Amino acid sequence: KAREIIDGVRAHAELQHLKVMVGGRAFLDTAELWRSTGADLFAAHVGGVREAVRGLGPRLKSRGAGA
């Protein structure tokens, strides 16, 4: 189901700049399962969200995000 939702988001040209993060219990038992969804990021728990987003900083700035 996650793959369908992410593919749906990416099908809209105006949304293609968005980064998609998945996480939580559903993705903990199988390493790298999150990649099969087409997501850009994964966080095992809320604390991991901040770390994952920090890594996007340079990429977001270079693409003019927030402008």
Side-chain angles (χ1 to χ4, degrees), residues 17-35:
H17 69 283
L18 293 178
K19 297 295 182 192
V20 177
M21 178 183 282
V22 296
R25 184 86 177 132
F27 297 96
L28 293 179
D29 295 332
T30 305
E32 304 298 310
L33 174 63
W34 70 273
R35 291 184 190 278

Side-chain angles (χ1 to χ4, degrees), residues 8-64:
V9 168
R10 299 209 192 280
H12 295 278
E14 66 275 10
L15 300 178
Q16 290 181 352
H17 69 283
L18 293 178
K19 297 295 182 192
V20 177
M21 178 183 282
V22 296
R25 184 86 177 132
F27 297 96
L28 293 179
D29 295 332
T30 305
E32 304 298 310
L33 174 63
W34 70 273
R35 291 184 190 278
S36 70
T37 68
D40 301 298
L41 303 162
F42 165 76
H45 49 79
V46 172
V49 172
R50 182 178 294 158
E51 182 179 325
V53 172
R54 274 191 195 138
L56 284 178
R59 288 185 282 175
L60 291 176
K61 289 177 186 172
S62 69
R63 293 180 56 159

